[in-house]
Amino acid sequence: MTAAENTTRPGLTRRGFFGAAGVAGVAGVTALSTAPASARPARRTGPASALPAASSITVTDPALLTAVQAASLLQSRRLHPRELLDACLTRTAGHDGDIGGWVRIYPELAYEAADAAAQRLTGSGDAPLLCGLPLALKDLFAVAGLPLTASSHVLDGNIAAGDSTVWRRLRDAGTVLVGHAHTDEFAIGVATEQVGNPWNTDYSPGGSSGGSAAVVAARFVPLATGTDTGGSLRLPASACGITSIKPTFGRCSTHGVIPLTWTRDHTGPMARTIADASLLLSHMAGADVDDPTTTVGPDVPAGGYPIAAKGGTTPLSGKRFGLYRKAVDGLPDALGTLFAAFVDEIRRLGGDVVDITMPVMPADMIVGDRVEMGSFHRQFTDRIGSYRPENAISVTKAVASLAAPAIDYLTTEGNRLRFQHEYNRMFADTGIDAVLVPGAKIDGCERFEFAGISVFDGVTGTVGWANTAGAPVVTTPAGRSAATGLPFGVQIGGRPWDETTLIEITLEIQHARPDWLTAPEIAAAPRDVPRVQVTAPGAGPHPTNTTDVGFGHRFVPTLSTSVI
């Protein structure tokens, strides 16, 4: 069923939707530019900061709207949820052939959700700002009755038994699930080589959340979810020129998400802009009884995270940034130039920048990573031949690591706690508000160049510090390489639970230098993406329909600076 065919399905008509705003007869894309000022103002449910004024939005193709732009038009009834979904599916069908970002899409389910969103947007109560916005889920997030395969033949035919907590939250907020995006198999690697980078499809989009990054960068959807165990939100964001937020460990639930390692897995948002990612985080984050770590930290801000810059000439005045010099000195020349310009912009906006030295990463973290990975993957040892060959080796080593003495695992956890305290002490001793780290070590890589390289190895980026500390990190675009033409990003990291500060900083930077505005030129490349309908849920009991009991032990972020 095509997007055009689907517009005739039952539900609130576009005429009725626009008519409810006093815009009789408005239909199609013209709704973006012809609605009169009498259209009702956008609702403010969610983040307290204002959405962009609908009258200021000049984009004429709904697929090219940012999430907050689309939210403004949806809330003011100048854009129908179906119109937005039509545009996303049409762009996908015409351009995903060389990119291949989607595993599968769910048009029937999506149009039902769009209709429900339209009803909600015209109701008497305020609708969440996410209502009606299209979304991609990384192929690790369970949705009851839909396939869940971790982009692996190991899980061919697997049907999720329930909903992941993140998806349940986003569904309840009215988001429109378009489909599942590819991951590097089981989130193991950094390449996601089955997907092409929208900026140059001969190159990798990064991993493991490469499919999520690609469908956002290609403007197939405005929002996506990803995971991060060793840079898997940050590396693809840098490679594809988008924004991601790796929250504090425990800020967003991992329940119902296929794991890599339970004590380093983070779920987080991916989007074109920090405002979009912040909006998505506001609805992903929060306490979940099925993920005890989510109950440890402070509450999510009552009005959600900020989505608008304050502006002015020196909005970063009073903020101090620590530049991780060791990571910068090894950059290729083209990336070093981009990073230096980014730092200069921070100074121009009033920020103070000083060099810092990060604590030394524990050398034995790989022991714990392999034990946790092996604990999950041992259930698939009878299917080892179904893994990609390079990952079959990694899985075999991980399962074998279960024979390691328990004291080895406990020692790694003790060393991790020591690193956490040293990381916090670095902030206290230097007086910094955030650290600045390059988003990648390399200026792009061809799709199969790093196939089989694990996210634990740190080959393509300096990323392990944030997963070991459990600290939040925003990755923001910082321009394109003069050597390859590929995007490059910068990581802005903070103290545990301090996502708000990082978001506020990045809002000002993106307002002053909107690198996110640059879009890849994508050649027409039709693809008939596999379409799936909801079916009977898997047997469970775990939402992923796998054996995932996790660890009784849970890593907990701390703000302590005491010496261990």
Side-chain angles (χ1 to χ4, degrees):
M1 184 180 296
T2 66
E5 289 168 341
N6 231 316
T7 60
T8 62
R9 291 167 55 95
L12 182 67
T13 65
R14 289 182 173 83
R15 183 178 295 273
F17 182 83
F18 295 122
V23 191
V26 175
V29 177
T30 55
L32 293 176
S33 57
T34 61
S38 59
R40 70 185 183 90
R43 291 161 173 159
R44 299 295 183 229
T45 305
S49 303
L51 292 169
S55 59
S56 70
I57 300 169
T58 59
V59 178
T60 56
D61 180 351
L64 305 184
L65 292 165
T66 67
V68 294
Q69 287 173 337
S72 178
L73 296 171
L74 288 166
Q75 294 280 330
S76 59
R77 299 177 190 165
R78 299 176 185 228
L79 176 66
H80 193 287
R82 275 177 168 264
E83 205 74 46
L84 181 55
L85 179 58
D86 286 346
C88 290
L89 289 175
T90 298
R91 187 169 175 83
T92 287
H95 296 84
D96 195 38
D98 292 336
I99 297 169
W102 296 106
V103 185
R104 55 197 164 265
I105 57 175
Y106 316 116
E108 183 170 335
L109 182 68
Y111 277 104
E112 289 174 358
D115 286 339
Q119 294 285 355
R120 196 168 177 181
L121 287 161
T122 57
S124 56
D126 281 352
L129 297 186
L130 280 184
C131 189
L133 294 179
L135 171 79
L137 292 176
K138 186 177 183 178
D139 192 23
L140 302 176
F141 290 76
V143 179
L146 290 177
L148 186 66
T149 60
S151 295
S152 175
H153 290 304
V154 172
L155 290 180
D156 280 348
N158 184 56
I159 304 296
D163 292 326
S164 59
T165 298
V166 165
W167 165 240
R168 175 178 52 78
R169 289 182 185 276
L170 298 180
R171 179 200 64 205
D172 291 349
T175 55
V176 175
L177 176 60
V178 176
H180 272 105
H182 270 296
T183 173
D184 197 287
E185 185 177 36
F186 279 104
I188 294 171
V190 297
T192 323
E193 63 262 31
Q194 70 271 40
V195 178
N197 189 319
W199 292 89
N200 183 337
T201 55
D202 291 334
Y203 281 75
S204 164
S208 64
S209 305
S212 294
V215 297
V216 170
R219 278 56 172 173
F220 296 157
V221 285
L223 299 169
T225 66
T227 63
D228 193 313
T229 309
S232 294
L233 281 161
R234 291 164 283 156
L235 297 171
S238 179
C240 292
I242 66 167
T243 305
S244 71
I245 303 173
K246 186 202 81 66
T248 304
F249 184 84
R251 175 54 78 197
C252 298
S253 174
T254 58
H255 179 65
V257 180
I258 291 176
L260 182 54
T261 68
W262 292 289
T263 63
R264 288 179 74 180
D265 288 348
H266 301 63
T267 60
M270 308 182 84
R272 286 170 58 193
T273 73
I274 186 59
D276 294 354
S278 179
L279 177 61
L280 187 56
L281 179 64
S282 294
H283 291 274
M284 290 178 65
D288 174 21
V289 295
D290 291 314
D291 184 347
T293 311
T294 61
T295 65
V296 174
D299 291 340
V300 176
Y305 294 100
I307 61 172
K310 295 178 182 177
T313 56
T314 57
L316 298 183
S317 179
K319 298 294 185 187
R320 197 172 207 213
F321 296 83
L323 191 155
Y324 184 24
R325 176 61 62 186
K326 182 179 179 180
V328 176
D329 288 343
L331 289 175
D333 289 345
L335 301 190
T337 298
L338 291 173
F339 190 86
F342 188 90
V343 173
D344 286 345
E345 184 69 24
I346 287 176
R347 291 193 176 102
R348 189 184 70 79
L349 295 174
D352 180 30
V353 182
V354 297
D355 284 0
I356 55 137
T357 300
M358 282 272 201
V360 177
M361 282 278 292
D364 58 358
M365 286 302 298
I366 189 63
V367 175
D369 294 333
R370 283 180 175 165
V371 167
E372 293 186 30
M373 179 180 169
S375 296
F376 178 76
H377 282 270
R378 62 181 172 176
Q379 66 187 292
F380 305 128
T381 52
D382 61 334
R383 298 174 234 174
I384 199 72
S386 296
Y387 288 93
R388 294 205 315 262
E390 61 273 16
N391 286 338
I393 296 172
S394 297
V395 169
T396 299
K397 289 180 179 178
V399 173
S401 73
L402 296 175
I407 189 60
D408 289 354
Y409 180 80
L410 295 176
T411 299
T412 67
E413 291 306 297
N415 289 337
R416 181 179 188 175
L417 183 63
R418 183 178 295 108
F419 180 87
Q420 277 188 282
H421 286 220
E422 291 172 350
Y423 177 83
N424 294 336
R425 198 157 58 247
M426 174 189 70
F427 274 78
D429 291 347
T430 60
I432 59 174
D433 298 284
V435 296
L436 301 175
V437 183
K441 293 179 180 178
I442 58 172
D443 193 357
C445 65
E446 294 185 2
R447 285 168 71 158
F448 296 94
E449 185 176 351
F450 288 110
I453 299 297
S454 166
V455 296
F456 305 135
D457 295 335
V459 171
T460 58
T462 304
V463 290
W465 56 276
N467 299 90
T468 303
V473 187
V474 168
T475 301
T476 182
R480 294 168 60 197
S481 164
T484 65
L486 295 171
F488 169 71
V490 172
Q491 301 176 69
I492 306 174
R495 297 179 179 88
W497 312 112
D498 196 16
E499 287 83 3
T500 297
T501 294
L502 301 183
I503 291 168
E504 289 173 343
I505 288 170
T506 312
L507 282 167
E508 301 304 337
I509 294 171
Q510 290 193 0
H511 178 72
R513 48 171 294 165
D515 296 290
W516 58 269
L517 276 173
T518 306
E521 295 182 4
I522 304 173
R527 181 188 176 205
D528 187 11
V529 183
R531 298 165 180 238
V532 176
Q533 296 181 356
V534 177
T535 187
H542 194 266
T544 63
N545 203 35
T546 67
T547 302
D548 179 13
V549 296
F551 273 14
H553 161 76
R554 284 278 176 169
F555 164 67
V556 177
T558 178
L559 292 171
S560 176
T561 60
S562 62
V563 177
I564 297 179

